[in-house]
């Protein structure tokens, strides 16, 4: 389950050491961690990372299949999480030490910056391959954060981007060696810790107003 740590001015949200799928309890734990981050005064920033093979492998499809009557509410809660990460009143950095697929890839996009391991792991939106359409909110988020050509390729053909390719496509801001990824993310986050506050939250909310409306109002089919 996700746990929160702190390195001086930088909070580190560890998503877990498994597939880190979006189970309701997992989402609730992430939301609880964000409560603590947002409620802490003073300069601060956030790094989100994980341990092992996966940053996050996306939605918990087994849970969704077993709880058909709760699917809609769960997707709404996931989109609310994306909206919250997108508008954090502080700078956020996703450190992709492993695979980021589906909702895990979207979570990374909701951060202000992304650092990815160069030699292992993929960033991928597999929805076209698994016959799951993007919700309006998620489609809006992807298209707001990626260049049109890259968004088209990622969404239409479900291309898997390795770290170097992801950096070239500007999906991530940099690709580094595996043993350097956390240090790189911490350094980047710490350099912007002084920006934390309501002004930054307002800037983000206005910058992504249309995306936030779609995330907060849209639902899945």
């Amino acid at each position: 389950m996700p746990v929160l740590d702190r390195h001086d001015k930088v909070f580190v949200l560890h998503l877990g050491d498994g597939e880190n799928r979006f189970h309701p309890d997992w989402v609730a734990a992430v939301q609880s961690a964000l409560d603590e981050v947002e409620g802490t005064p003073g300069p601060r920033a956030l790094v989100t990372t994980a341990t092992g093979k996966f940053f996050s492998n996306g939605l918990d499809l087994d849970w969704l299949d077993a709880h058909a009557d709760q699917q809609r509410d769960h997707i709404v809660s996931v989109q609310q999480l994306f909206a919250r990460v997108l508008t954090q009143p502080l700078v956020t950095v996703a450190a992709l030490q492993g695979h980021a697929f589906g909702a895990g890839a979207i979570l990374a996009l909701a951060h202000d910056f992304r650092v990815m391991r160069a030699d292992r792991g993929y960033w991928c939106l597999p929805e076209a391959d698994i016959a799951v359409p993007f919700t309006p909110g998620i489609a809006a988020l992807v298209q707001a954060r990626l260049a049109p050509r890259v968004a088209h390729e990622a969404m239409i053909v479900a291309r898997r981007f390795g770290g170097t390719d992801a950096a070239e496509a500007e999906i991530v801001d940099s690709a580094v060696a595996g043993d350097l990824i956390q240090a790189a993310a911490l350094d980047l986050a710490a350099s912007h810790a002084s920006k934390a506050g309501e002004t930054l939250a307002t800037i983000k909310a206005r910058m992504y107003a249309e995306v936030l409306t779609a995330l907060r109002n849209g639902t899945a089919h």
Side-chain angles (χ1 to χ4, degrees):
M1 290 294 289
V3 296
L4 191 65
D5 194 6
R6 187 169 185 177
H7 296 259
D8 194 14
K9 297 177 182 178
V10 180
F11 285 93
V12 179
L13 176 57
H14 296 273
L15 298 179
D17 58 3
E19 292 193 15
N20 307 324
R21 288 185 178 269
F22 284 61
H23 182 281
D25 294 341
W26 186 92
V27 172
V30 174
Q31 291 279 24
S32 179
L34 294 179
D35 288 342
E36 181 174 346
V37 173
E38 291 180 20
T40 302
R44 63 205 187 280
L46 174 68
V47 167
T48 303
T49 191
T51 303
K53 185 177 179 180
F54 295 94
F55 176 78
S56 170
N57 208 18
L59 295 175
D60 190 332
L61 300 178
D62 290 339
W63 186 90
L64 287 169
D65 287 343
H67 299 82
D69 61 325
Q70 300 178 55
Q71 287 181 4
R72 180 187 176 93
D73 289 344
H74 182 55
I75 298 302
V76 168
S77 74
V78 169
Q79 294 195 159
Q80 291 172 342
L81 175 60
F82 293 154
R84 188 177 187 185
V85 173
L86 190 64
T87 55
Q88 281 293 288
L90 44 97
V91 168
T92 60
V93 181
L96 309 180
Q97 91 303 331
H99 299 306
F101 276 69
I106 302 299
L107 177 62
L109 282 186
H111 287 69
D112 297 312
F113 300 100
R114 285 154 298 287
V115 180
M116 187 171 179
R117 183 170 175 168
D119 61 337
R120 185 179 299 176
Y122 292 104
W123 182 96
C124 177
L125 301 176
E127 280 77 356
D129 286 337
I130 62 176
V132 176
F134 295 96
T135 67
I138 290 174
L141 175 54
V142 174
Q143 291 171 285
R145 298 295 277 134
L146 300 180
R149 177 189 62 79
V150 177
H152 183 90
E153 187 173 19
M155 297 173 76
I156 299 300
V157 301
R159 175 180 168 183
R160 296 186 178 194
F161 291 84
T164 301
D165 289 341
E168 291 177 353
E170 298 184 345
I171 297 170
V172 301
D173 298 277
S174 61
V176 301
D179 58 345
L180 300 177
I181 187 167
Q182 183 156 323
L186 286 170
D187 287 347
L188 177 58
S191 70
H192 296 294
S194 64
K195 296 179 175 66
E198 288 307 310
T199 296
L200 189 60
T202 300
I203 289 171
K204 292 181 181 183
R206 293 175 179 173
M207 186 174 183
Y208 294 108
E210 293 182 3
V211 175
L212 293 168
T213 296
L215 284 171
R216 289 165 176 161
N217 295 338
T219 57
H221 296 291

